[in-house]
Amino acid sequence: YKSQGFRDFIFCVGYKSELIIDAVKDIDGINVEFSDAGESAGILKRIDKVKNLIEGDAIVTYGDTFTDLDLNALLVQHRQSDGAVTIVTAPIVNPFGLVEIAPDSSITSFKEKPVLNYYIGYHIINRKALDFVPQFIVKKPDGEGLVMFFKMLIGMGYLSAFEHSGTQITFNTMEEHKIAEEKIKHFFTLD
C-alpha cells in the first residue's frame, strides 16, 4: 500500500490484536488508527464500526490475502462505475467437471473444469453504502453479514467487480499458511 502512495490506514483488529498493533504502530510515513469490535465481530460489523472515520471511498482487505493488486487502477475503475462497492475477483479453474441435474435425474449441463470468478477478499466501499445497510445484517456472524450486504447491493445494482489476474495468495489454515509462505518467497525471488 505504501509503495503505491497510500498513507492513511485503519486496522480493524480482534484476535491477537496486540501483535498487529505492535507490528504496525511505528511504521514510518503512515497514519494509523486501530478499531477493535471484538474477536467475534464479523467483517461487516468491523467495517461499520469505523464508518465515521471513512471519508468517501475506503479500500478493504483481509489480513490473510497477499496480492500484487494495482490499487490505483482499482480506485479509478470503482470511481468510474455506478457501484457503491467494487469487489476484486480473480479467475480460478475448477478442478472438476460441474454437472447440473434436473428433478428427473437428467443432465441439463456439463462443464469440464470451468473457469470461475471468485472474490479474493479485497473491495472498495463508499462510505455512503454503509448508511443503508440494516443493523440486523451488520450483526450477522463473520462472512454472513457481508454476503447479505453484497446480495443487497446486487439487487440495487450497486455492486461492481474489478478483475485481477495477477498474484494472489490466501490462507486460512496452518497448512495453507505454510504453502503461502513458499509462494510468497517465490514471488520475491527470481528463480
Side-chain angles (χ1 to χ4, degrees):
Y1 280 75
K2 190 175 166 185
S3 69
Q4 293 188 46
F6 295 87
R7 299 289 181 262
D8 298 317
F9 298 88
I10 302 167
F11 284 84
C12 298
V13 297
Y15 178 69
K16 296 200 176 191
S17 60
E18 66 282 350
L19 296 175
I20 297 167
I21 292 168
D22 286 343
V24 300
K25 69 180 178 185
D26 296 323
I27 295 174
D28 289 332
I30 64 171
N31 304 310
V32 180
E33 295 203 37
F34 298 96
S35 173
D36 190 344
E39 288 187 27
S40 63
I43 295 164
L44 188 58
K45 186 171 184 177
R46 293 176 193 279
I47 296 167
D48 186 69
K49 183 173 169 55
V50 300
K51 70 182 174 185
N52 293 329
L53 300 174
I54 299 171
E55 296 178 20
D57 298 319
I59 299 173
V60 177
T61 185
Y62 305 165
D64 62 357
T65 301
F66 171 83
T67 182
D68 62 353
L69 182 63
D70 183 338
L71 299 169
N72 289 295
L74 171 60
L75 269 172
V76 167
Q77 182 178 316
H78 170 72
R79 290 178 176 156
Q80 291 174 347
S81 77
D82 292 330
V85 174
T86 300
I87 65 172
V88 179
T89 64
I92 186 170
V93 176
N94 186 310
F96 306 103
L98 297 183
V99 178
E100 292 182 20
I101 304 169
D104 68 357
S105 297
S106 63
I107 303 293
T108 59
S109 173
F110 186 97
K111 298 175 186 169
E112 180 61 19
K113 298 180 183 171
V115 176
L116 306 171
N117 290 308
Y118 70 103
Y119 171 57
I120 68 169
Y122 280 74
H123 65 270
I124 292 184
I125 188 166
N126 186 279
R127 162 65 178 88
K128 293 178 184 176
L130 295 168
D131 289 339
F132 50 78
V133 60
Q135 282 301 302
F136 81 90
I137 293 177
V138 169
K139 294 176 183 178
K140 291 285 185 182
D142 199 29
E144 191 177 324
L146 190 65
V147 170
M148 288 179 76
F149 178 52
F150 287 170
K151 287 181 178 181
M152 184 182 86
L153 292 171
I154 289 169
M156 299 169 72
Y158 291 146
L159 188 66
S160 299
F162 179 86
E163 297 178 48
H164 176 66
S165 60
T167 299
Q168 72 83 28
I169 302 166
T170 300
F171 57 92
N172 293 298
T173 65
M174 288 307 292
E175 184 60 32
E176 289 173 347
H177 183 263
K178 290 176 189 173
I179 294 167
E181 284 179 334
E182 289 303 313
K183 288 180 179 180
I184 290 171
K185 284 180 197 173
H186 180 71
F187 178 78
F188 285 109
T189 60
L190 298 174
D191 51 350

